[in-house]
Amino acid sequence: QVQVVESGGGMVQAGGSLRLSCAVSGRTFENYVMGWFRQAPGKGREFVSVINWSQGTTNYADSVKGRFTVSRDKSKNTVYLEMNSLKPEDAAAYYCAARWLGDTTYNYWGQGTQVTVSA
């Protein structure tokens, strides 16, 4: 059974940093893609970043490019989202998700972790 568990959320002042973690288990994730998404109150879910588990290639939403960095540690089966220069508009529930490289739909989702950014 695949499990996706996020952690690391919290409250930070604008300009501060947080590192989110996403621990995955239950299968091998070679040829999988790990994505980070966020959803603020009253808004739809928004893509943040993605990393290819096998190759380590990454992509980012324009809104976070240059401020956020996604990485993975295969030995720990964990994906990280390093968030710097946080802005109030970054405040949201952040979700980690996994999908097979050949799919367009993310099949496995975590429960989310809350990020609050005060001005």
Side-chain angles (χ1 to χ4, degrees), residues 54-65:
S54 301
Q55 299 176 356
T57 52
T58 60
N59 198 13
Y60 300 90
D62 287 343
S63 58
V64 306
K65 204 170 290 184

Side-chain angles (χ1 to χ4, degrees), residues 12-92:
V12 64
Q13 287 188 330
S17 299
L18 279 176
R19 188 178 79 159
L20 305 184
S21 299
C22 173
V24 292
S25 62
R27 64 159 299 123
T28 175
F29 288 92
E30 296 301 320
N31 296 317
Y32 266 68
V33 169
M34 313 299 294
W36 283 98
F37 296 82
R38 66 187 182 187
Q39 187 166 18
K43 295 188 176 181
R45 189 168 58 201
E46 175 188 20
F47 165 76
V48 175
S49 183
V50 64
I51 185 166
N52 181 304
W53 182 267
S54 301
Q55 299 176 356
T57 52
T58 60
N59 198 13
Y60 300 90
D62 287 343
S63 58
V64 306
K65 204 170 290 184
R67 299 187 298 121
F68 290 13
T69 302
V70 62
S71 62
R72 88 292 193 227
D73 185 332
K74 289 186 175 183
S75 69
K76 296 182 179 179
N77 262 21
T78 300
V79 179
Y80 302 99
L81 185 67
E82 184 76 35
M83 306 186 296
N84 298 314
S85 302
L86 282 162
K87 305 174 181 180
E89 52 263 42
D90 294 318

